[in-house]
Amino acid sequence: DDQHSLCKLAVFQGGFDAKAAYAIANLSLPHLAEFVNRSLVKCDTNGRFMLHPLLQRFLAEHLRESSANYGATREAFREFYVNLLLSQWQNLKTEHQHNALHTITRELPNIHAVWQTAIMERNCSQVQGMLPGLCVFYDIQSRFQEGKDLFQQAVEHWKQNTCTPQEDLILAQLRVQYAVFTMRLTYGQDISALYQDTLPILAAHDDAELAFTYLQMGWLKCLNPLEQEEAEIWIAKGKQLAEAK
């Protein structure tokens, strides 16, 4: 009913669009318009919807009281924004880059919320799926400090309790991205200690999902004149995995 659907909107951070509302709360545009007319939801001139902060907190409490509804809504929320970031990451490499940057910037609060939850809950597939898009987004926009902070926090949390080979692999990937942004901020300094012991972990895997990390490792190696041959090996492997994917 309307109350349950309205409660589902409390999962959003920083607003949402009609497509997200339909995917996560099963609310059509006419439903949203009705909520706007009843002053339950605000809509700006760009067609972006949002809840008043006080109403959002109230609805969030009610949503959490329904464990099944809460779990299903959170999972739909996470799936939607993981897929959104994946699709926009592909667009970042095309002539649609400007629109992709705009979309990611607009949805960054929601994307960050999903990322933080995935890190806290050690969701390997979601972290691995979001990692390239976040890295490329911050890199293109030269938001190196934000990128460094994001991946440093992820590394600090993830390394507290890695129990499986897959979790060790994710930690290695996170550390490579942390090293990339550290290098962006401290160009010319030796930061190999940040990623050196990830090399055997990464080299032991040839999953297609590692293509981006292999290319990033190649870039790090390229910066050292003594490691050009090794850099070429990482880059070639990354390209091979990307083509296989």
Side-chain angles (χ1 to χ4, degrees), residues 191-202:
I191 62 160
S192 59
L194 294 179
Y195 63 83
Q196 198 65 37
D197 57 358
T198 70
L199 299 179
I201 297 174
L202 293 171

Side-chain angles (χ1 to χ4, degrees), residues 6-205:
L6 187 62
C7 285
K8 290 180 180 180
L9 298 179
V11 299
F12 292 107
Q13 306 295 316
F16 54 92
D17 60 18
K19 184 177 180 180
Y22 184 77
I24 295 161
N26 197 30
L27 284 170
S28 64
L29 193 55
H31 276 113
L32 290 171
E34 181 182 345
F35 286 152
V36 170
N37 290 335
R38 293 162 58 187
S39 299
L40 295 171
V41 174
K42 297 179 181 179
C43 182
D44 64 20
T45 54
N46 296 314
R48 190 157 182 83
F49 301 91
M50 62 199 70
L51 296 169
H52 188 281
L54 291 177
L55 178 59
Q56 182 169 11
R57 286 197 291 271
F58 174 78
L59 294 174
E61 291 177 5
H62 279 267
L63 181 62
R64 281 190 291 269
E65 290 174 358
S66 173
S67 57
N69 199 29
Y70 179 55
T73 302
R74 287 179 74 242
E75 189 54 41
F77 175 72
R78 291 164 66 167
E79 181 180 355
F80 181 86
Y81 285 103
V82 169
N83 290 334
L84 180 141
L85 185 58
L86 279 169
S87 65
Q88 296 307 319
W89 170 46
Q90 297 302 323
N91 289 336
L92 287 172
K93 299 179 284 185
T94 71
E95 68 274 14
H96 304 297
Q97 183 184 99
H98 178 76
N99 289 336
L101 289 171
H102 175 74
T103 298
I104 295 174
T105 299
R106 183 186 63 206
E107 298 295 351
L108 205 55
N110 288 313
I111 291 170
H112 275 168
V114 173
W115 171 261
Q116 294 297 339
T117 301
I119 292 293
M120 295 297 292
E121 297 184 0
R122 311 180 76 78
N123 189 312
C124 293
S125 63
Q126 290 185 346
V127 171
Q128 197 168 51
M130 299 179 76
L131 185 149
L134 283 170
C135 187
V136 172
F137 170 75
Y138 283 118
D139 196 42
I140 289 176
Q141 295 207 311
S142 299
R143 294 165 67 168
F144 304 138
Q145 187 63 55
E146 291 178 64
K148 178 186 175 184
D149 292 344
L150 184 84
F151 286 104
Q152 182 177 17
Q153 290 166 9
V155 167
E156 291 300 321
H157 180 80
W158 201 272
K159 73 180 183 180
Q160 292 175 12
N161 186 28
T162 52
C163 302
T164 68
Q166 181 66 16
E167 289 179 346
D168 287 337
L169 181 59
I170 296 297
L171 177 59
Q173 291 182 268
L174 292 170
R175 290 180 62 183
V176 169
Q177 303 314 318
Y178 171 42
V180 166
F181 284 108
T182 301
M183 177 60 79
R184 291 293 199 190
L185 292 166
T186 59
Y187 194 83
Q189 296 184 21
D190 183 10
I191 62 160
S192 59
L194 294 179
Y195 63 83
Q196 198 65 37
D197 57 358
T198 70
L199 299 179
I201 297 174
L202 293 171
H205 296 79

